[in-house]
Structure formats: structure tokens, C-alpha cells
């Protein structure tokens, strides 16, 4: 898979796609959606779609595609190569969401959670297929979380298409298995060849599976934490594992929208009855306060 | 700034090393060196709507701020030696990057207002011409 565009800039999102098979613009198609790398604290999350004409579904099944989790890395690689060979009737497209995009979305002023990000990415990929002229008739989606609400949401967006959202769809529908293979191949390759934006010293390439409960991943996080900057952008700062390491091993950072504990400026109620006059600090004119200017007569 | 009324002070012009500075929209309540050149600078991207980077997983948008003409910025460092305190300039700057949380600081930025003060101060302290 050619991920050179991602390797050039992995701070945002990156779309990759196969050419659209001509037959998919003529015949009604079935389209599968799946994701890879949702749970890990390291690396990108990849969303993929795979589609083929309904009449050729048996040919896709004949490739013996299966849920990517049940396949070894080399088997996934081999199956992806086969799908590429069958490019006259199988098409795919994927979105690589960089860990930086995931962090900045989830930690935004207006929180954009992983579910919304996932749903919007999936919708974007279906829309892309439609824009390319693919005659999408049926969509199958794998899901984590309750499938009913997600199905309703997707169905509303694509009224002319029959949408099926199901847990473990990647094991049930070959077109979803094929999408899961595309996503997993891209995620594995992206993680393996990750181009660190930062200039890190004695970078350790052994980061384990990237899952928060992997001791290797945890050890890697502890090794590469910087007291001021936290982690390299390869890390999802919004993950609890990352946050708790930062709490103990890095400096505190307060933002203008940080939650503050107690309200300052309110004295204890007893202070109103005490005899000593309340000392009021002499404040500069509002002009200076608004500009953050302080007099420098005393240094 | 230069003092002109104290003749006793010996005036010397020293060339200070120019430095690149970033003003972030957050507080890190410590004073310590940070690997800016390894973590921050290489991550800055130029986008159609200005500069982009992230810090601690939060998105920042930035713009260049130029020190008003006629003025120079200095980075001052305080050092305490026993009873005495020494304040010295370690580097100089004529511009810096101002970062806002998720949005460009824009014309209403506090620092931009602060940089207007010297010209206003000069105007209000200027001699009023007698008619």
C-alpha cells in the first residue's frame, strides 16, 4: 500500500483509494465499512470501505476474506494483494486519522468524541464512493456500541441505500471483512513506518501492540515522556493511559478553558465582620489590565 | 529602553543573539529549559489560515507578531547572588509567534493591545504645542 502521502505529513488526515472499477458505476453495489486501531494509545485509526457489484459478491467470497483479527499479518497482506489484482470489480478507499487529529478533536474546547469522529469519517467515505459514481445499494457496517442508533443515523443520511449496522459484521459479511483487511493493512504499515515529527533522541522502535494494557507500550510511553511537551504526536494524548502518565511525570499545564477549583476573590463570610479593614490591592487602570500590562517600577 | 538622565551609568551597546520565541495560550508553572527545537518547531505547519501546531494534544493556531518600529524586545533573566539581584538581557527579538487555542489570536489579542501602549504613551506624554 502506498502511504507516502501520510509519511510526508502525518499530523492530520489522509485519504487513500483504489481506482473505481468501471462495473461499480454501472451495477448496484454492496459496500462494507470497518475500522482498525480504535483502541490503541499509539498511532492512527484507519477507516476503510470496500465495495463490489452485488453480482460479484461470490467472487469476493471466493478470495476467502475473513475478519482481519483472525488472520496473520502476512495473510492480510496476501489478501489485500489479491483484492488489488481483482481491481476490475473490487474497489476500496480509506481514511487515516492521525493520532494528532484524534487528540486535538477529543481535547478540543468543544469535545468531539471518538464515536462522532468515527461516524463522520464513515459517512464521509460512503459519500466519497457516491461522489465517484459508485452505485451503492447496500451498506454493511461493523460497530462497537449499540448498533440501533448508529443504523438509524446512517439510514437518515443515505435514504436510498439499505443500511445494516451489526456488531461483529467483519466476521459475518465478506465485504466488511475485506474492508477490515484494508484498514488493518494500512494501520500496521502506518505504525511500522511512522515518521516522527519530533527529533527524538535514542528512539525506541519497540512500542509493542500500542494497546494501553501492553507492558511494552506502557514502558515506551514512560521512556518517551518529556516534562514540558508530554509525548510525541504519535501518542493519543486524550487516552487515559497517556493522561495519567503526564499527571505524574510531566509539568502541569493550565489553559484558559481549564476548570478551576475554588472561586477566587470570594472571602470567607466572617471577613465582613472582622475589624481590620479589608486590604484592597491597588489595581491599575482598566486599559492596562485589559492588555496584561504591569508597571515595572519594581523588579 | 535607554536612560538618558543618568550620566553616571556607563552606556554600552552590546549585540545580543537574536532568538525565536513562541507565546503559548497556557501556563506551565515552572521555569526550566524545554526542547522546543526537537518537539515544537518541527511540528509547525503552514496552512491557508495561518500557522498550525499542537501542544499537549491541543490544537493551536498562530501568527507572527512584529515588535513595533523603534522598539526592540529583550529576554531578561534574573539571577540572585546573595543579597543582590542581577537582571540581564540574554537575547533580543524583533518578532515572535503568538499562539491561540484553536483560533488565531487576531486583532483583539491582549499582547497586540499591549504593543500599542508605547506609541500611545509617547503621544500622551508629548509636549503640547503652544499656540
Amino acid at each position: 500500500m502506498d502511504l507516502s502521502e501520510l509519511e510526508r505529513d502525518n499530523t492530520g488526515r489522509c485519504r487513500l483509494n483504489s481506482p473505481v472499477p468501471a462495473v461499480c458505476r454501472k451495477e448496484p453495489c454492496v459496500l462494507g465499512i470497518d475500522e482498525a486501531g480504535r483502541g490503541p494509545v499509539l498511532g492512527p485509526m484507519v477507516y476503510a470501505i470496500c465495495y463490489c457489484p452485488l453480482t460479484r459478491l461470490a467472487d469476493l467470497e471466493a478470495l476467502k476474506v475473513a475478519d482481519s483479527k483472525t488472520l496473520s499479518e502476512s495473510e492480510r497482506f496476501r489478501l489485500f494483494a489479491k483484492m488489488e489484482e481483482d481491481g476490475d470489480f473490487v474497489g476500496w478507499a480509506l481514511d487515516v486519522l492521525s493520532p494528532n487529529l484524534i487528540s486535538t478533536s477529543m481535547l478540543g474546547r468543544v469535545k468531539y468524541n471518538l464515536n462522532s469522529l468515527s461516524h463522520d469519517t464513515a459517512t464521509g467515505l460512503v459519500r466519497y464512493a457516491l461522489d465517484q459514481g459508485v452505485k451503492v445499494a447496500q451498506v454493511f457496517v461493523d460497530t462497537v456500541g449499540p448498533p440501533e442508533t448508529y443504523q438509524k443515523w446512517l439510514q437518515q443520511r443515505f435514504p436510498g441505500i439499505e443500511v445494516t449496522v451489526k456488531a461483529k459484521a467483519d466476521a459475518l459479511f465478506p465485504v466488511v471483512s475485506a474492508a477490515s483487511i484494508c484498514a488493518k493493512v494500512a494501520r500496521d504499515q502506518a505504525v511500522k513506518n511512522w515518521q516522527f515529527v519530533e527529533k527524538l533522541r535514542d528512539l525506541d522502535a519497540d512500542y509493542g501492540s500500542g494497546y494501553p494494557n501492553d507492558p511494552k507500550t506502557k514502558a515506551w510511553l514512560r521512556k518517551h515522556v518529556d516534562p514540558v511537551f508530554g509525548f510525541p504526536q504519535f501518542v493519543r494524548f486524550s487516552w487515559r493511559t497517556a493522561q495519567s502518565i503526564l499527571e505524574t511525570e510531566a509539568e502541569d499545564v493550565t489553559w484558559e478553558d481549564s476548570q478551576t477549583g475554588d472561586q477566587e476573590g470570594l472571602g470567607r463570610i466572617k471577613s465582613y465582620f472582622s475589624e481590620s479593614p479589608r486590604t484592597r490591592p491597588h489595581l491599575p487602570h482598566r486599559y492596562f489590565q485589559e492588555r496584561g500590562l504591569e508597571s515595572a517600577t519594581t523588579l | 529602553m535607554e536612560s538618558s538622565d543618568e550620566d553616571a551609568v556607563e552606556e554600552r551597546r552590546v549585540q545580543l543573539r537574536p532568538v525565536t520565541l513562541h507565546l503559548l495560550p497556557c501556563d506551565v508553572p515552572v521555569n526550566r529549559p524545554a526542547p522546543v527545537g526537537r518537539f515544537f518547531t518541527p511540528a509547525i505547519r503552514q496552512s491557508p489560515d495561518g500557522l498550525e501546531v499542537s501542544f499537549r494534544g491541543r490544537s493551536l493556531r498562530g501568527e507572527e507578531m512584529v515588535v513595533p518600529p523603534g522598539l526592540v524586545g529583550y529576554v531578561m533573566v534574573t539571577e540572585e547572588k546573595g543579597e543582590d539581584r542581577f537582571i540581564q538581557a540574554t537575547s533580543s527579538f524583533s518578532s515572535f509567534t503568538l499562539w491561540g487555542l484553536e483560533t488565531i489570536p487576531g486583532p483583539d489579542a491582549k499582547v497586540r493591545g499591549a504593543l500599542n501602549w508605547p506609541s500611545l504613551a509617547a503621544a500622551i506624554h508629548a509636549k503640547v504645542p503652544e499656540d
Side-chain angles (χ1 to χ4, degrees):
Chain A
M1 201 178 277
D2 180 19
L3 290 178
S4 53
E5 198 191 320
L6 175 76
E7 282 157 21
R8 265 196 302 282
D9 187 7
N10 57 25
T11 62
R13 70 163 75 213
C14 172
R15 163 84 46 90
L16 231 70
N17 57 271
S18 72
V20 178
V23 66
C24 295
R25 290 195 169 108
K26 292 191 205 97
E27 289 185 32
C29 290
V30 55
L31 181 147
I33 310 178
D34 199 13
E35 124 290 310
R38 187 188 166 87
V41 61
L42 300 179
M45 176 166 82
V46 180
Y47 253 83
I49 57 166
C50 187
Y51 53 89
C52 75
L54 279 157
T55 53
R56 303 295 297 270
L57 200 52
D59 296 316
L60 183 68
E61 257 173 285
L63 294 178
K64 299 241 180 305
V65 287
D67 169 15
S68 70
K69 286 188 275 299
T70 65
L71 301 167
S72 70
E73 194 175 342
S74 59
E75 282 174 312
R76 287 194 294 264
F77 199 77
R78 187 183 55 82
L79 282 168
F80 180 70
K82 273 185 144 182
M83 281 160 55
E84 291 270 83
E85 279 170 33
D86 287 336
D88 59 323
F89 72 94
V90 182
W92 56 267
L94 51 86
D95 263 353
V96 182
L97 310 184
S98 73
N100 185 54
L101 180 86
I102 296 170
S103 304
T104 52
S105 301
M106 291 174 73
L107 299 175
R109 273 178 196 274
V110 180
K111 303 277 170 285
Y112 185 29
N113 68 36
L114 198 65
N115 271 343
S116 308
L117 185 61
S118 303
H119 293 175
D120 291 344
T121 304
T123 316
L125 282 166
V126 177
R127 191 138 291 152
Y128 158 82
L130 292 170
D131 289 346
Q132 293 295 307
V134 178
K135 285 198 160 174
V136 184
Q138 295 176 4
V139 168
F140 292 92
V141 192
D142 189 29
T143 187
V144 274
E148 295 81 13
T149 45
Y150 188 19
Q151 170 150 338
K152 214 170 169 186
W153 188 85
L154 268 177
Q155 191 64 74
Q156 270 174 359
R157 262 144 199 90
F158 303 106
I161 299 170
E162 192 188 311
V163 180
T164 310
V165 178
K166 231 181 176 125
K168 305 221 165 45
D170 51 349
L172 295 170
F173 309 104
V175 75
V176 182
S177 309
S180 84
I181 290 167
C182 293
K184 190 81 172 104
V185 167
R187 150 93 192 166
D188 285 349
Q189 196 178 321
V191 169
K192 198 183 268 177
N193 302 332
W194 191 257
Q195 303 295 308
F196 283 84
V197 175
E198 302 80 9
K199 296 177 188 135
L200 300 173
R201 289 190 191 131
D202 61 280
L203 174 67
D204 186 356
D206 191 10
Y207 19 76
S209 64
Y211 278 91
N213 54 6
D214 185 336
K216 261 189 183 169
T217 301
K218 270 194 178 155
W220 189 90
L221 286 170
R222 285 190 192 282
K223 186 184 163 186
H224 291 283
V225 65
D226 176 82
V228 175
F229 293 99
F231 298 107
Q233 285 190 7
F234 183 53
V235 177
R236 300 182 190 171
F237 282 76
S238 42
W239 256 235
R240 194 172 297 135
T241 320
Q243 297 273 1
S244 62
I245 292 176
L246 288 180
E247 274 165 31
T248 55
E249 319 229 339
E251 304 295 352
D252 284 337
V253 172
T254 351
W255 298 88
E256 55 195 41
D257 62 348
S258 297
Q259 297 287 327
T260 43
D262 19 85
Q263 291 283 309
E264 270 178 58
L266 282 176
R268 296 170 63 89
I269 196 155
K270 270 162 77 182
S271 70
Y272 292 96
F273 303 104
S274 64
E275 274 177 42
S276 63
R278 301 222 299 147
T279 45
R280 274 189 143 203
H282 176 72
L283 291 174
H285 187 272
R286 209 180 67 196
Y287 175 89
F288 298 104
Q289 286 186 57
E290 281 169 356
R291 283 155 186 81
L293 288 167
E294 280 172 43
S295 167
T297 48
T298 50
L299 278 173
Chain B
M1 268 184 243
E2 287 178 39
S3 62
S4 50
D5 49 347
E6 285 175 64
D7 295 323
V9 178
E10 192 196 341
E11 283 187 17
R12 268 190 306 164
R13 267 185 199 282
V14 276
Q15 204 60 49
L16 286 166
R17 185 175 47 94
V19 72
T20 2
L21 294 173
H22 299 278
L23 187 57
L24 266 57
C26 60
D27 279 330
V28 187
V30 284
N31 215 345
R32 58 179 295 165
V36 180
R38 294 197 294 116
F39 273 81
F40 194 77
T41 328
I44 300 173
R45 297 283 180 273
Q46 180 77 55
S47 84
D49 343 297
L51 299 166
E52 274 181 15
V53 80
S54 70
F55 178 67
R56 293 284 187 104
R58 303 206 68 178
S59 163
L60 307 183
R61 289 298 183 87
E63 56 184 328
E64 269 321 289
M65 290 286 283
V66 179
V67 174
L71 297 173
V72 183
Y74 290 114
V75 178
M76 311 298 284
V77 171
T78 318
E79 203 184 340
E80 294 198 24
K81 284 182 190 161
E83 295 276 285
D84 300 325
R85 286 166 77 220
F86 295 88
I87 300 175
Q88 64 170 0
T90 55
S91 42
S92 68
F93 61 95
S94 57
S95 71
F96 59 95
T97 314
L98 178 65
W99 295 96
L101 180 59
E102 291 169 24
T103 45
I104 276 182
D108 293 335
K110 223 173 172 181
V111 179
R112 199 182 289 277
L115 290 176
N116 282 334
W117 166 239
S119 63
L120 179 62
I124 60 174
H125 290 109
K127 232 181 179 166
V128 182
E130 286 173 50
D131 277 336

